[in-house]
Amino acid sequence: QVQLVESGGKLVQAGGSLRLSCAASGGTFSNYGMGWFRQAPGKEREFVAGIKWNIGSTYYTNSVKGRFTISRDNAKNTVYLQMNSLKPEDTAVYYCAAHARAGYISSYYNPNEYDYWGQGTQVTVSS
Protein backbone atom coordinates (compact mmCIF):
# COMPACT_ATOMS: atom_id res chain seq x y z
CA GLN A 1 0.00 0.00 0.00
CA VAL A 2 1.41 3.34 -1.07
CA GLN A 3 1.13 6.25 1.32
CA LEU A 4 1.56 9.87 0.30
CA VAL A 5 2.05 12.68 2.80
CA GLU A 6 2.02 16.30 1.69
CA SER A 7 3.56 19.17 3.62
CA GLY A 8 4.52 22.79 3.17
CA GLY A 9 1.17 24.49 2.81
CA LYS A 10 0.53 27.68 4.74
CA LEU A 11 -0.75 31.25 4.56
CA VAL A 12 1.30 33.47 2.27
CA GLN A 13 0.87 36.91 0.75
CA ALA A 14 0.25 37.40 -2.94
CA GLY A 15 3.51 37.44 -4.85
CA GLY A 16 5.15 35.10 -2.38
CA SER A 17 6.52 31.60 -2.81
CA LEU A 18 5.99 28.19 -1.27
CA ARG A 19 7.43 24.76 -1.82
CA LEU A 20 5.18 21.79 -1.27
CA SER A 21 6.58 18.34 -0.65
CA CYS A 22 4.99 14.94 -1.00
CA ALA A 23 6.76 12.00 0.62
CA ALA A 24 5.89 8.52 -0.62
CA SER A 25 6.27 5.22 1.17
CA GLY A 26 5.22 1.62 0.72
CA GLY A 27 5.96 1.23 -2.97
CA THR A 28 8.47 1.72 -5.76
CA PHE A 29 8.29 5.47 -6.08
CA SER A 30 10.72 5.68 -8.97
CA ASN A 31 8.26 3.76 -11.16
CA TYR A 32 5.33 6.10 -10.58
CA GLY A 33 4.05 9.00 -12.57
CA MET A 34 3.22 11.72 -10.05
CA GLY A 35 0.80 14.61 -10.10
CA TRP A 36 -0.30 17.60 -8.08
CA PHE A 37 -3.96 18.59 -7.99
CA ARG A 38 -5.82 21.26 -6.08
CA GLN A 39 -9.34 21.88 -4.94
CA ALA A 40 -10.73 25.24 -3.94
CA PRO A 41 -13.94 25.59 -1.90
CA GLY A 42 -16.99 24.92 -4.05
CA LYS A 43 -14.91 23.85 -7.03
CA GLU A 44 -13.90 20.55 -8.57
CA ARG A 45 -10.46 19.12 -8.09
CA GLU A 46 -8.20 20.31 -10.88
CA PHE A 47 -4.86 19.22 -12.29
CA VAL A 48 -1.90 21.46 -11.49
CA ALA A 49 1.26 19.64 -12.57
CA GLY A 50 2.60 16.19 -13.41
CA ILE A 51 5.96 14.53 -13.84
CA LYS A 52 6.98 11.27 -15.47
CA TRP A 53 8.62 8.47 -13.52
CA ASN A 54 11.96 9.07 -15.19
CA ILE A 55 11.86 12.86 -14.69
CA GLY A 56 11.87 13.14 -18.47
CA SER A 57 8.73 15.22 -18.94
CA THR A 58 6.62 17.63 -16.96
CA TYR A 59 3.10 18.93 -17.51
CA TYR A 60 1.28 22.00 -16.23
CA THR A 61 -2.11 23.54 -16.37
CA ASN A 62 -2.03 26.84 -18.22
CA SER A 63 -2.77 28.99 -15.19
CA VAL A 64 0.45 27.97 -13.43
CA LYS A 65 2.89 27.76 -16.34
CA GLY A 66 5.92 29.93 -15.70
CA ARG A 67 5.10 30.20 -11.99
CA PHE A 68 5.08 26.61 -10.68
CA THR A 69 7.71 23.92 -11.10
CA ILE A 70 7.24 20.24 -10.36
CA SER A 71 10.28 18.12 -9.58
CA ARG A 72 11.09 14.83 -7.94
CA ASP A 73 13.93 13.18 -6.07
CA ASN A 74 13.62 9.44 -6.57
CA ALA A 75 16.37 8.80 -4.00
CA LYS A 76 14.22 10.53 -1.39
CA ASN A 77 10.87 9.21 -2.65
CA THR A 78 9.64 12.78 -2.77
CA VAL A 79 7.94 15.01 -5.30
CA TYR A 80 7.95 18.79 -4.97
CA LEU A 81 5.90 21.69 -6.20
CA GLN A 82 7.71 25.01 -6.19
CA MET A 83 5.15 27.80 -6.39
CA ASN A 84 6.25 31.34 -7.16
CA SER A 85 4.36 34.56 -7.79
CA LEU A 86 1.39 33.19 -5.91
CA LYS A 87 -2.03 34.68 -6.51
CA PRO A 88 -5.18 34.62 -4.37
CA GLU A 89 -6.76 32.30 -6.95
CA ASP A 90 -4.10 29.71 -6.11
CA THR A 91 -5.78 29.26 -2.73
CA ALA A 92 -6.82 25.62 -2.40
CA VAL A 93 -6.07 22.32 -0.78
CA TYR A 94 -3.21 20.77 -2.74
CA TYR A 95 -3.03 17.01 -3.20
CA CYS A 96 -0.31 14.81 -4.61
CA ALA A 97 -1.21 11.63 -6.42
CA ALA A 98 0.60 8.57 -7.74
CA HIS A 99 -0.01 6.49 -10.85
CA ALA A 100 1.13 3.09 -9.60
CA ARG A 101 -0.70 0.63 -11.85
CA ALA A 102 1.01 -1.26 -14.66
CA GLY A 103 1.11 0.50 -18.00
CA TYR A 104 1.71 4.03 -19.13
CA ILE A 105 -0.34 6.91 -17.85
CA SER A 106 -2.49 8.15 -20.73
CA SER A 107 -3.07 11.62 -19.39
CA TYR A 108 -1.49 13.30 -16.40
CA TYR A 109 -4.44 15.70 -16.39
CA ASN A 110 -7.01 13.01 -15.62
CA PRO A 111 -7.47 12.29 -11.89
CA ASN A 112 -8.79 8.80 -12.73
CA GLU A 113 -5.29 7.87 -13.87
CA TYR A 114 -4.01 8.03 -10.32
CA ASP A 115 -4.22 5.22 -7.82
CA TYR A 116 -3.12 6.84 -4.57
CA TRP A 117 -3.74 10.24 -3.06
CA GLY A 118 -2.39 12.15 -0.13
CA GLN A 119 -4.52 13.86 2.50
CA GLY A 120 -3.84 17.34 1.15
CA THR A 121 -2.16 20.48 2.42
CA GLN A 122 -3.83 23.89 2.62
CA VAL A 123 -2.38 26.80 0.69
CA THR A 124 -3.92 30.20 1.34
CA VAL A 125 -2.80 33.27 -0.58
CA SER A 126 -3.91 36.59 0.82
CA SER A 127 -4.29 39.69 -1.33
Side-chain angles (χ1 to χ4, degrees), residues 18-99:
L18 280 178
R19 188 176 82 156
L20 305 183
S21 300
C22 172
S25 61
T28 309
F29 175 78
S30 58
N31 289 346
Y32 303 155
M34 297 295 297
W36 283 98
F37 288 75
R38 65 186 180 187
Q39 187 166 19
K43 295 187 176 181
E44 292 187 355
R45 189 171 297 190
E46 66 168 347
F47 170 80
V48 176
I51 186 167
K52 278 191 172 181
W53 65 274
N54 61 356
I55 320 179
S57 298
T58 55
Y59 310 88
Y60 300 93
T61 192
N62 285 339
S63 63
V64 309
K65 284 181 181 177
R67 300 189 297 123
F68 290 11
T69 302
I70 188 171
S71 62
R72 65 190 296 163
D73 185 336
N74 286 342
K76 295 182 178 180
N77 289 352
T78 302
V79 62
Y80 305 97
L81 185 67
Q82 177 67 44
M83 305 187 294
N84 299 328
S85 303
L86 283 161
K87 304 176 181 180
E89 51 264 43
D90 294 319
T91 295
V93 178
Y94 283 71
Y95 300 89
C96 72
H99 171 90

Side-chain angles (χ1 to χ4, degrees), residues 5-18:
V5 179
E6 302 98 333
S7 61
K10 64 179 183 179
L11 173 65
V12 64
Q13 287 190 333
S17 298
L18 280 178

